[in-house]
Every structure is written in structure tokens, then in C-alpha cells.
Amino acid sequence: MESNPIITRTDFLRAAFGKTCGAVCLGTASLSILLSSCKSVYYAQMPVLKGRAIQVSKKEFESVDKKGAVTMRPFILVEMKGQSHPIYLRRKGTGDEYTAVLMKCSHQGNELNAHDGYLTCPAHGSEYTAEGKVTEGPAEKDLTTYRVTTDEGNIYINIG
């Protein structure tokens, strides 16, 4: 009759993951450095609810670097108190046209991740255009979109 040798948890972990753990740890550290260098997403600082529209200043799209140079953000996120999900507000080209899309996945209601020109669902991988059209499932329905109007200094997202 053979006896089973007793192995400690540490010995088991070393045997099972010893050669791959170093690579995984190194990869994780490298990934965190890479991700920390990514641009952050900008949230509108002073959106105002005016009747059935959210008013956002066009200046919210301006970004000033350390040297004082002004560049234009391709999109911003708009969040109001009591709102379940942010709104993705994107500038179309260099003109005065904008699109506004609720960042709520039509598959299971998760909050989407914003990118320049598209949105993704971190839960199941659905993808949408900046205009809210499904490009990759499992979602089958397009996103909720809002009519956008502008005046000289402001953008109005008509939510009602």
C-alpha cells in the first residue's frame, strides 16, 4: 500500500505556478504602467439642466496643455445628479455638430467605456459607433440617442 506524500500549500503553489507566476507578475506590472500613460476621460465640469435640456459650454471641449497650446477634445462625458448613466457627447469633425448617446448598454444595462469614435461594453464585449449603432454583439439594439442643438457658446442635449 502506497502512502500519499503530504504537500504544503506553498509547495503546491510553487509546483503549479512557479514558472508562470514571474511572467504573469511582470506582465501585470507592465500593463499597469502602460495603462497609466493612457489619456483619461474628461467629464464636463459645469453642465446645467435647463428645462428638458442639459446645457454644456462649448469651452468644455477645449484642452490646454502645459505649454498653453489649446487643442480640442473629440468627446466629453456629461453626468447630472440623479442620472443613471453618463452621456457621451462627441464633436463631429471640426464643425459645430455633435452627437449625444446614453452610455447604457442595450444588452444588460452596463455602463459603457468611452473611446474616440466608439463605445464598448466591458461586461460582454458589445461595441457601438459614436452615434449609438451596434457594430458588435451580443447587443442587438442601438443605444438611446438625444437630439443636440447649439448656439454661439453652448451645446444643448435635449433629454425630454
Side-chain angles (χ1 to χ4, degrees), residues 6 21 50 74 77 86 104 107 155 158:
I6 296 176
C21 185
K50 294 232 174 183
L77 301 186
K104 181 179 180 180
H107 176 235
I155 303 159
N158 299 289

PDB file of all heavy atoms in Angstrom, residues 6 21 50 74 77 86 104 107 155 158:
ATOM      1  N   ILE A   6       2.520  14.192   1.952  1.00  0.00           N
ATOM      2  CA  ILE A   6       1.842  15.424   2.355  1.00  0.00           C
ATOM      3  C   ILE A   6       2.610  16.585   1.736  1.00  0.00           C
ATOM      4  O   ILE A   6       3.823  16.679   1.851  1.00  0.00           O
ATOM      5  CB  ILE A   6       1.801  15.551   3.886  1.00  0.00           C
ATOM      6  CG1 ILE A   6       0.950  14.415   4.463  1.00  0.00           C
ATOM      7  CG2 ILE A   6       1.259  16.908   4.300  1.00  0.00           C
ATOM      8  CD1 ILE A   6       0.907  14.374   5.957  1.00  0.00           C
ATOM      9  N   CYS A  21       4.307  32.274 -12.765  1.00  0.00           N
ATOM     10  CA  CYS A  21       3.965  33.382 -11.880  1.00  0.00           C
ATOM     11  C   CYS A  21       4.834  34.598 -12.143  1.00  0.00           C
ATOM     12  O   CYS A  21       4.356  35.719 -12.183  1.00  0.00           O
ATOM     13  CB  CYS A  21       4.081  32.960 -10.424  1.00  0.00           C
ATOM     14  SG  CYS A  21       3.521  34.252  -9.282  1.00  0.00           S
ATOM     15  N   LYS A  50     -31.551  72.834 -17.972  1.00  0.00           N
ATOM     16  CA  LYS A  50     -32.418  73.954 -18.348  1.00  0.00           C
ATOM     17  C   LYS A  50     -33.675  73.366 -18.970  1.00  0.00           C
ATOM     18  O   LYS A  50     -33.659  72.994 -20.140  1.00  0.00           O
ATOM     19  CB  LYS A  50     -31.717  74.860 -19.348  1.00  0.00           C
ATOM     20  CG  LYS A  50     -30.519  75.562 -18.783  1.00  0.00           C
ATOM     21  CD  LYS A  50     -30.633  77.016 -19.045  1.00  0.00           C
ATOM     22  CE  LYS A  50     -29.503  77.738 -18.357  1.00  0.00           C
ATOM     23  NZ  LYS A  50     -29.599  79.135 -18.510  1.00  0.00           N
ATOM     24  N   PRO A  74     -12.044  65.289 -28.608  1.00  0.00           N
ATOM     25  CA  PRO A  74     -13.015  64.728 -29.559  1.00  0.00           C
ATOM     26  C   PRO A  74     -14.356  64.421 -28.901  1.00  0.00           C
ATOM     27  O   PRO A  74     -15.387  64.412 -29.553  1.00  0.00           O
ATOM     28  CB  PRO A  74     -12.346  63.453 -30.060  1.00  0.00           C
ATOM     29  CG  PRO A  74     -11.352  63.101 -28.995  1.00  0.00           C
ATOM     30  CD  PRO A  74     -10.941  64.382 -28.344  1.00  0.00           C
ATOM     31  N   LEU A  77     -17.734  63.456 -21.456  1.00  0.00           N
ATOM     32  CA  LEU A  77     -18.846  62.761 -20.816  1.00  0.00           C
ATOM     33  C   LEU A  77     -19.612  63.770 -19.968  1.00  0.00           C
ATOM     34  O   LEU A  77     -19.023  64.626 -19.324  1.00  0.00           O
ATOM     35  CB  LEU A  77     -18.348  61.609 -19.955  1.00  0.00           C
ATOM     36  CG  LEU A  77     -17.544  60.537 -20.687  1.00  0.00           C
ATOM     37  CD1 LEU A  77     -17.225  59.379 -19.752  1.00  0.00           C
ATOM     38  CD2 LEU A  77     -18.254  60.045 -21.921  1.00  0.00           C
ATOM     39  N   PRO A  86     -23.791  58.192 -17.629  1.00  0.00           N
ATOM     40  CA  PRO A  86     -23.349  59.419 -18.294  1.00  0.00           C
ATOM     41  C   PRO A  86     -23.778  59.447 -19.762  1.00  0.00           C
ATOM     42  O   PRO A  86     -24.178  58.429 -20.330  1.00  0.00           O
ATOM     43  CB  PRO A  86     -21.825  59.385 -18.185  1.00  0.00           C
ATOM     44  CG  PRO A  86     -21.454  58.078 -17.617  1.00  0.00           C
ATOM     45  CD  PRO A  86     -22.688  57.343 -17.241  1.00  0.00           C
ATOM     46  N   LYS A 104     -25.417  53.458 -21.769  1.00  0.00           N
ATOM     47  CA  LYS A 104     -26.034  52.299 -21.122  1.00  0.00           C
ATOM     48  C   LYS A 104     -26.190  51.196 -22.170  1.00  0.00           C
ATOM     49  O   LYS A 104     -26.940  51.336 -23.132  1.00  0.00           O
ATOM     50  CB  LYS A 104     -27.406  52.683 -20.568  1.00  0.00           C
ATOM     51  CG  LYS A 104     -28.120  51.562 -19.856  1.00  0.00           C
ATOM     52  CD  LYS A 104     -29.455  52.037 -19.311  1.00  0.00           C
ATOM     53  CE  LYS A 104     -30.177  50.914 -18.591  1.00  0.00           C
ATOM     54  NZ  LYS A 104     -31.478  51.371 -18.072  1.00  0.00           N
ATOM     55  N   HIS A 107     -27.741  45.648 -24.051  1.00  0.00           N
ATOM     56  CA  HIS A 107     -27.783  44.211 -23.788  1.00  0.00           C
ATOM     57  C   HIS A 107     -28.241  43.935 -22.357  1.00  0.00           C
ATOM     58  O   HIS A 107     -29.251  43.268 -22.151  1.00  0.00           O
ATOM     59  CB  HIS A 107     -26.407  43.584 -24.063  1.00  0.00           C
ATOM     60  CG  HIS A 107     -26.296  42.143 -23.747  1.00  0.00           C
ATOM     61  ND1 HIS A 107     -25.334  41.645 -22.902  1.00  0.00           N
ATOM     62  CD2 HIS A 107     -27.021  41.077 -24.150  1.00  0.00           C
ATOM     63  CE1 HIS A 107     -25.477  40.332 -22.802  1.00  0.00           C
ATOM     64  NE2 HIS A 107     -26.489  39.962 -23.546  1.00  0.00           N
ATOM     65  N   ILE A 155     -23.922  74.001 -25.941  1.00  0.00           N
ATOM     66  CA  ILE A 155     -24.478  72.799 -26.571  1.00  0.00           C
ATOM     67  C   ILE A 155     -25.655  72.379 -25.686  1.00  0.00           C
ATOM     68  O   ILE A 155     -25.546  72.410 -24.440  1.00  0.00           O
ATOM     69  CB  ILE A 155     -23.434  71.669 -26.604  1.00  0.00           C
ATOM     70  CG1 ILE A 155     -22.174  72.125 -27.339  1.00  0.00           C
ATOM     71  CG2 ILE A 155     -24.011  70.402 -27.239  1.00  0.00           C
ATOM     72  CD1 ILE A 155     -20.950  71.318 -27.000  1.00  0.00           C
ATOM     73  N   ASN A 158     -30.994  67.545 -25.620  1.00  0.00           N
ATOM     74  CA  ASN A 158     -32.435  67.511 -25.346  1.00  0.00           C
ATOM     75  C   ASN A 158     -32.836  66.131 -24.848  1.00  0.00           C
ATOM     76  O   ASN A 158     -32.952  65.193 -25.629  1.00  0.00           O
ATOM     77  CB  ASN A 158     -33.203  67.882 -26.616  1.00  0.00           C
ATOM     78  CG  ASN A 158     -32.844  69.295 -27.063  1.00  0.00           C
ATOM     79  OD1 ASN A 158     -33.234  70.260 -26.421  1.00  0.00           O
ATOM     80  ND2 ASN A 158     -32.056  69.409 -28.126  1.00  0.00           N
TER      81      ASN A 158
END
